[in-house]
């Protein structure tokens, strides 16, 4: 399989080069040149690791050894604390929740990053290369990337988080990892400052070369691909249980930030998976809901909410959907993005937004409703939701009349990651799972640093090029 840039001005690459390159040189995102087709639902594997191999193999075939790939997939999902990796939980009138948070860091990002870390290490070791991954995080991405990279000999990972602005659980999940290839930096600034620092490091060609900079964020195709699998798993299980049919296919509600997770569902559908519609659930930061309602993509200021991993105004993976909806015109996407960057606002053609609306519907859920969803679901079912998943359920409630057929909400985080909001809703703090039970007793290792690009670049050089 070859991968093309969504801006149309970079050469096509194979899977491994697209993964290591991350962002295409023309600023675009890599996208498979065609859609491999899944077998009929009845022929999808029921074992998660087998299904993962079945769904992903067409994208990596010819680039990664088959046995090695199978072993990496199996190992990645053995690290999950649930028997069927991503359990489906019935919430009665609110539909089902697909719990994606039983990986090492308790957020769905582990599903992709556990495999991506192994893939990076495998292909880099084979090439005798080493990379430095720099990640900016507002909370969940940092710990998932650290767990993916820790102890891997071909990778150094540097994570920038905004000092004093992530939760204690989130910070400790990063800073208590004691490995020589893991480097935590608390930047004296905001998450946006951290993101700007990372962007500036990527834009500095000499620096980029010196430390062999690479990215594991959700603009990387390899991050999106493993997320396609659990959509297939949900459809397979609900079909087998007689709860989904060809005429009443499954709808998915996805708590959305960067649009990576819901985009993976769209890809599953393009690969032939029977799916109804996708609910793009947002918190108060509702750029996507406004876009789906109006066809105008316009940024606003970012407000902090109870679901911080969705506090985002520029959803980078939307570019992949726009590319497909413009019949893969890189020129059209490049021009849209240029206007969006220049003016903070751009309108897409009527035919394009109509096409998008036939598959996606947006809904916004505010903090009060989020708490109310956690409270009422706990009261009626005993299940404790995290605030992100609660936004997804809130959107299902809001759109009940518009959705026919079963609805699955993606459960994106374990409630113990957000104990304060959960306590407000249900009156008690959820316990951390066993492997993290002593999190607050472990020593923390991090470097505090001013928001200063040159100083941080020197820190990265010192930490990663000493040998
Ligand atoms: C990252 C994250 C999201 C947003 O996912 P995207 O793929 O960026 O849309 C939602 N919930 C949680 C808990 C997350 O960590």
């Amino acid at each position: 399989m070859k991968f093309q840039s969504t801006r149309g001005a970079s050469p096509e690459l194979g899977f491994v080069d697209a993964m290591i390159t991350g962002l295409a040189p023309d600023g675009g995102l890599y996208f498979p040149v065609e859609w491999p087709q899944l077998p009929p639902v009845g022929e999808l594997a029921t074992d998660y690791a087998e299904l993962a191999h079945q769904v992903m193999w067409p994208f990596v075939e010819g680039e990664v050894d088959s046995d090695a790939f199978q072993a990496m997939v199996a190992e990645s999902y053995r690290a999950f604390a649930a028997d069927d990796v991503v359990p489906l939980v019935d919430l009665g009138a609110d539909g089902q929740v697909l719990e994606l948070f039983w990986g090492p860091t308790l957020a769905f990002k582990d599903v992709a990053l556990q495999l991506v870390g192994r893939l990076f290490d495998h292909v880099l070791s084979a090439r005798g290369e080493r990379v430095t991954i720099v990640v900016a995080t507002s909370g969940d991405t940092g710990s998932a990337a650290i767990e993916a990279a820790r102890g891997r000999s071909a990778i150094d990972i540097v994570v920038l988080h905004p000092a004093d602005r992530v939760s204690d659980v989130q910070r400790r999940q990063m800073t208590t990892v004691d490995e020589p290839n893991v480097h935590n930096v608390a930047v004296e600034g905001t998450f946006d400052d951290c993101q700007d620092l990372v962007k500036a490091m990527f834009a500095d060609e000499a620096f980029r070369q010196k430390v062999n900079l690479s990215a594991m964020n959700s603009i990387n195709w390899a991050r999106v691909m493993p997320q396609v699998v659990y959509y297939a798993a949900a459809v397979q299980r609900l079909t087998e249980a007689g709860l989904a049919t060809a005429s009443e296919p499954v709808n998915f509600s996805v708590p959305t930030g960067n649009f990576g997770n819901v985009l993976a569902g769209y890809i599953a559908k393009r690969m032939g998976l029977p799916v109804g519609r996708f609910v793009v659930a947002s918190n108060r930061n509702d750029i996507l809901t406004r876009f789906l309602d109006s066809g105008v993509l316009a940024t606003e200021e970012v407000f902090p909410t109870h679901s911080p991993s969705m506090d985002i105004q520029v959803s980078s993976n939307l570019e992949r959907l726009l590319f497909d909806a413009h019949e893969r015109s890189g020129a059209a996407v490049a021009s849209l993005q240029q206007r969006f960057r220049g003016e903070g606002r751009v309108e897409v053609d009527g035919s394009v937004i109509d096409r998008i609306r036939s598959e996606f519907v947006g809904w916004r859920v505010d903090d009060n409703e989020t708490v109310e969803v956690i409270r009422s679901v706990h009261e009626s079912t005993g299940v404790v939701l995290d605030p992100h998943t609660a936004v997804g359920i809130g959107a299902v409630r809001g759109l009940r009349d518009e959705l026919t057929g079963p609805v699955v909400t993606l459960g994106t985080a374990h409630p113990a990651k957000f104990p304060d909001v959960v306590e407000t809703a249900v009156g008690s703090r959820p316990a951390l799972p066993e492997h993290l039970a002593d999190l607050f007793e472990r020593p923390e290792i991090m470097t505090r640093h001013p928001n200063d690009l040159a100083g941080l670049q020197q820190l990265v050089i010192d930490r990663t090029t000493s040998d």
Side-chain angles (χ1 to χ4, degrees), residues 107-109 140-141 218 227 255-262 309-310 386 388 412-413 418:
F108 84 95
K109 292 180 173 72
D140 292 337
T141 302
S218 70
Q227 299 178 349
T256 296
N258 234 333
F259 207 77
N261 206 0
V262 71
S309 298
M310 296 154 63
D386 99 284
H388 302 77
T412 54
F418 303 95

mmCIF file of all heavy atoms in Angstrom, residues 107-109 140-141 218 227 255-262 309-310 386 388 412-413 418, ligand 1:
data_model
loop_
_atom_site.group_PDB
_atom_site.id
_atom_site.type_symbol
_atom_site.label_atom_id
_atom_site.label_comp_id
_atom_site.label_asym_id
_atom_site.label_seq_id
_atom_site.Cartn_x
_atom_site.Cartn_y
_atom_site.Cartn_z
ATOM 1 N N ALA A 107 -6.318 5.286 28.995
ATOM 2 C CA ALA A 107 -7.045 6.064 27.986
ATOM 3 C C ALA A 107 -6.946 5.309 26.654
ATOM 4 O O ALA A 107 -6.043 4.492 26.455
ATOM 5 C CB ALA A 107 -6.462 7.468 27.834
ATOM 6 N N PHE A 108 -7.869 5.609 25.738
ATOM 7 C CA PHE A 108 -7.936 4.815 24.500
ATOM 8 C C PHE A 108 -6.668 4.967 23.651
ATOM 9 O O PHE A 108 -6.412 4.149 22.777
ATOM 10 C CB PHE A 108 -9.167 5.224 23.672
ATOM 11 C CG PHE A 108 -8.965 6.424 22.800
ATOM 12 C CD1 PHE A 108 -8.606 6.275 21.471
ATOM 13 C CD2 PHE A 108 -9.109 7.701 23.300
ATOM 14 C CE1 PHE A 108 -8.394 7.373 20.660
ATOM 15 C CE2 PHE A 108 -8.911 8.809 22.493
ATOM 16 C CZ PHE A 108 -8.548 8.650 21.172
ATOM 17 N N LYS A 109 -5.865 5.988 23.917
ATOM 18 C CA LYS A 109 -4.664 6.204 23.098
ATOM 19 C C LYS A 109 -3.696 5.021 23.176
ATOM 20 O O LYS A 109 -2.910 4.790 22.262
ATOM 21 C CB LYS A 109 -3.985 7.502 23.503
ATOM 22 C CG LYS A 109 -4.850 8.697 23.115
ATOM 23 C CD LYS A 109 -4.242 10.026 23.478
ATOM 24 C CE LYS A 109 -5.052 11.168 22.914
ATOM 25 N NZ LYS A 109 -6.354 11.363 23.604
ATOM 26 N N ASP A 140 -3.312 13.182 28.484
ATOM 27 C CA ASP A 140 -3.348 11.748 28.188
ATOM 28 C C ASP A 140 -2.297 11.278 27.181
ATOM 29 O O ASP A 140 -1.755 10.181 27.302
ATOM 30 C CB ASP A 140 -4.726 11.352 27.644
ATOM 31 C CG ASP A 140 -5.808 11.478 28.703
ATOM 32 O OD1 ASP A 140 -5.469 11.443 29.900
ATOM 33 O OD2 ASP A 140 -6.976 11.617 28.319
ATOM 34 N N THR A 141 -2.012 12.086 26.171
ATOM 35 C CA THR A 141 -1.086 11.637 25.130
ATOM 36 C C THR A 141 0.300 11.358 25.701
ATOM 37 O O THR A 141 0.961 10.395 25.309
ATOM 38 C CB THR A 141 -0.958 12.708 24.027
ATOM 39 O OG1 THR A 141 -2.259 12.950 23.514
ATOM 40 C CG2 THR A 141 -0.058 12.257 22.905
ATOM 41 N N SER A 218 -1.366 12.137 16.645
ATOM 42 C CA SER A 218 -2.399 11.482 15.841
ATOM 43 C C SER A 218 -2.424 11.959 14.388
ATOM 44 O O SER A 218 -3.233 11.490 13.603
ATOM 45 C CB SER A 218 -3.779 11.632 16.484
ATOM 46 O OG SER A 218 -4.218 12.961 16.415
ATOM 47 N N GLN A 227 -6.862 2.047 15.320
ATOM 48 C CA GLN A 227 -8.171 2.418 15.864
ATOM 49 C C GLN A 227 -9.311 1.929 14.972
ATOM 50 O O GLN A 227 -10.462 1.875 15.406
ATOM 51 C CB GLN A 227 -8.245 3.936 16.040
ATOM 52 C CG GLN A 227 -7.188 4.428 17.016
ATOM 53 C CD GLN A 227 -7.198 5.934 17.189
ATOM 54 O OE1 GLN A 227 -7.848 6.659 16.452
ATOM 55 N NE2 GLN A 227 -6.469 6.400 18.164
ATOM 56 N N PRO A 255 -16.495 10.738 21.510
ATOM 57 C CA PRO A 255 -16.006 11.965 22.169
ATOM 58 C C PRO A 255 -14.766 12.456 21.414
ATOM 59 O O PRO A 255 -13.765 11.751 21.354
ATOM 60 C CB PRO A 255 -15.633 11.485 23.582
ATOM 61 C CG PRO A 255 -16.299 10.144 23.756
ATOM 62 C CD PRO A 255 -16.398 9.551 22.383
ATOM 63 N N THR A 256 -14.865 13.654 20.838
ATOM 64 C CA THR A 256 -13.886 14.036 19.821
ATOM 65 C C THR A 256 -13.074 15.266 20.192
ATOM 66 O O THR A 256 -13.589 16.230 20.748
ATOM 67 C CB THR A 256 -14.624 14.267 18.479
ATOM 68 O OG1 THR A 256 -15.208 13.028 18.064
ATOM 69 C CG2 THR A 256 -13.675 14.747 17.399
ATOM 70 N N GLY A 257 -11.780 15.200 19.867
ATOM 71 C CA GLY A 257 -10.886 16.336 20.031
ATOM 72 C C GLY A 257 -10.175 16.600 18.720
ATOM 73 O O GLY A 257 -10.551 17.461 17.928
ATOM 74 N N ASN A 258 -9.145 15.802 18.463
ATOM 75 C CA ASN A 258 -8.349 15.972 17.247
ATOM 76 C C ASN A 258 -8.938 15.259 16.031
ATOM 77 O O ASN A 258 -8.356 15.260 14.957
ATOM 78 C CB ASN A 258 -6.937 15.437 17.499
ATOM 79 C CG ASN A 258 -5.891 16.474 17.185
ATOM 80 O OD1 ASN A 258 -6.127 17.354 16.347
ATOM 81 N ND2 ASN A 258 -4.748 16.377 17.809
ATOM 82 N N PHE A 259 -10.074 14.581 16.202
ATOM 83 C CA PHE A 259 -10.796 13.913 15.119
ATOM 84 C C PHE A 259 -10.125 12.614 14.658
ATOM 85 O O PHE A 259 -10.522 12.010 13.683
ATOM 86 C CB PHE A 259 -10.969 14.865 13.909
ATOM 87 C CG PHE A 259 -12.177 14.572 13.051
ATOM 88 C CD1 PHE A 259 -13.439 14.938 13.472
ATOM 89 C CD2 PHE A 259 -12.049 13.926 11.827
ATOM 90 C CE1 PHE A 259 -14.560 14.673 12.686
ATOM 91 C CE2 PHE A 259 -13.167 13.664 11.021
ATOM 92 C CZ PHE A 259 -14.419 14.045 11.459
ATOM 93 N N GLY A 260 -9.099 12.143 15.401
ATOM 94 C CA GLY A 260 -8.423 10.917 14.978
ATOM 95 C C GLY A 260 -9.294 9.684 15.188
ATOM 96 O O GLY A 260 -9.380 8.807 14.329
ATOM 97 N N ASN A 261 -9.956 9.634 16.344
ATOM 98 C CA ASN A 261 -10.727 8.462 16.699
ATOM 99 C C ASN A 261 -11.922 8.278 15.766
ATOM 100 O O ASN A 261 -12.140 7.202 15.210
ATOM 101 C CB ASN A 261 -11.184 8.614 18.157
ATOM 102 C CG ASN A 261 -11.422 7.288 18.835
ATOM 103 O OD1 ASN A 261 -11.256 6.224 18.247
ATOM 104 N ND2 ASN A 261 -11.845 7.357 20.090
ATOM 105 N N VAL A 262 -12.677 9.341 15.561
ATOM 106 C CA VAL A 262 -13.874 9.213 14.712
ATOM 107 C C VAL A 262 -13.478 8.998 13.244
ATOM 108 O O VAL A 262 -14.151 8.278 12.502
ATOM 109 C CB VAL A 262 -14.834 10.418 14.923
ATOM 110 C CG1 VAL A 262 -14.281 11.697 14.339
ATOM 111 C CG2 VAL A 262 -16.211 10.111 14.330
ATOM 112 N N SER A 309 -9.195 16.475 27.511
ATOM 113 C CA SER A 309 -8.555 15.921 26.314
ATOM 114 C C SER A 309 -9.307 16.292 25.044
ATOM 115 O O SER A 309 -8.885 15.962 23.947
ATOM 116 C CB SER A 309 -8.446 14.401 26.429
ATOM 117 O OG SER A 309 -7.636 14.084 27.540
ATOM 118 N N MET A 310 -10.436 16.955 25.206
ATOM 119 C CA MET A 310 -11.188 17.434 24.046
ATOM 120 C C MET A 310 -11.195 18.962 23.977
ATOM 121 O O MET A 310 -11.945 19.544 23.194
ATOM 122 C CB MET A 310 -12.624 16.913 24.127
ATOM 123 C CG MET A 310 -12.688 15.397 24.031
ATOM 124 S SD MET A 310 -14.142 14.696 24.821
ATOM 125 C CE MET A 310 -15.430 15.426 23.820
ATOM 126 N N ASP A 386 -16.262 8.155 32.762
ATOM 127 C CA ASP A 386 -15.369 9.312 32.874
ATOM 128 C C ASP A 386 -16.045 10.475 32.130
ATOM 129 O O ASP A 386 -16.972 10.268 31.350
ATOM 130 C CB ASP A 386 -13.996 8.977 32.270
ATOM 131 C CG ASP A 386 -13.865 9.506 30.862
ATOM 132 O OD1 ASP A 386 -14.461 8.887 29.955
ATOM 133 O OD2 ASP A 386 -13.240 10.562 30.660
ATOM 134 N N HIS A 388 -15.206 12.291 29.560
ATOM 135 C CA HIS A 388 -15.167 12.282 28.090
ATOM 136 C C HIS A 388 -16.225 11.345 27.529
ATOM 137 O O HIS A 388 -16.982 11.707 26.624
ATOM 138 C CB HIS A 388 -13.774 11.872 27.592
ATOM 139 C CG HIS A 388 -12.689 12.762 28.091
ATOM 140 N ND1 HIS A 388 -12.207 12.667 29.387
ATOM 141 C CD2 HIS A 388 -12.005 13.761 27.502
ATOM 142 C CE1 HIS A 388 -11.272 13.592 29.557
ATOM 143 N NE2 HIS A 388 -11.129 14.271 28.426
ATOM 144 N N THR A 412 -13.568 6.482 26.231
ATOM 145 C CA THR A 412 -12.202 6.866 25.899
ATOM 146 C C THR A 412 -11.252 6.935 27.097
ATOM 147 O O THR A 412 -10.045 6.970 26.902
ATOM 148 C CB THR A 412 -12.171 8.207 25.135
ATOM 149 O OG1 THR A 412 -12.881 9.179 25.896
ATOM 150 C CG2 THR A 412 -12.805 8.064 23.761
ATOM 151 N N ALA A 413 -11.771 6.987 28.321
ATOM 152 C CA ALA A 413 -10.875 7.021 29.488
ATOM 153 C C ALA A 413 -11.516 6.315 30.678
ATOM 154 O O ALA A 413 -12.744 6.253 30.794
ATOM 155 C CB ALA A 413 -10.518 8.458 29.874
ATOM 156 N N PHE A 418 -9.995 10.923 36.178
ATOM 157 C CA PHE A 418 -10.636 12.227 36.420
ATOM 158 C C PHE A 418 -11.470 12.176 37.699
ATOM 159 O O PHE A 418 -12.689 12.379 37.689
ATOM 160 C CB PHE A 418 -11.483 12.614 35.187
ATOM 161 C CG PHE A 418 -10.649 12.640 33.939
ATOM 162 C CD1 PHE A 418 -10.588 11.531 33.104
ATOM 163 C CD2 PHE A 418 -9.847 13.738 33.640
ATOM 164 C CE1 PHE A 418 -9.764 11.521 31.978
ATOM 165 C CE2 PHE A 418 -9.013 13.733 32.519
ATOM 166 C CZ PHE A 418 -8.978 12.631 31.694
HETATM 167 C C1 LIG B 1 -7.423 12.065 23.082
HETATM 168 C C2 LIG B 1 -8.730 11.885 23.776
HETATM 169 C C3 LIG B 1 -9.957 12.194 23.143
HETATM 170 C C4 LIG B 1 -10.016 12.824 21.774
HETATM 171 O O1 LIG B 1 -9.693 11.901 20.751
HETATM 172 P P1 LIG B 1 -9.332 12.430 19.270
HETATM 173 O O2 LIG B 1 -8.844 11.230 18.546
HETATM 174 O O3 LIG B 1 -8.272 13.469 19.462
HETATM 175 O O4 LIG B 1 -10.577 12.989 18.695
HETATM 176 C C5 LIG B 1 -11.139 11.929 23.824
HETATM 177 N N1 LIG B 1 -11.120 11.408 25.082
HETATM 178 C C6 LIG B 1 -9.967 11.101 25.708
HETATM 179 C C7 LIG B 1 -10.029 10.552 27.087
HETATM 180 C C8 LIG B 1 -8.730 11.310 25.078
HETATM 181 O O5 LIG B 1 -7.595 11.000 25.727
#
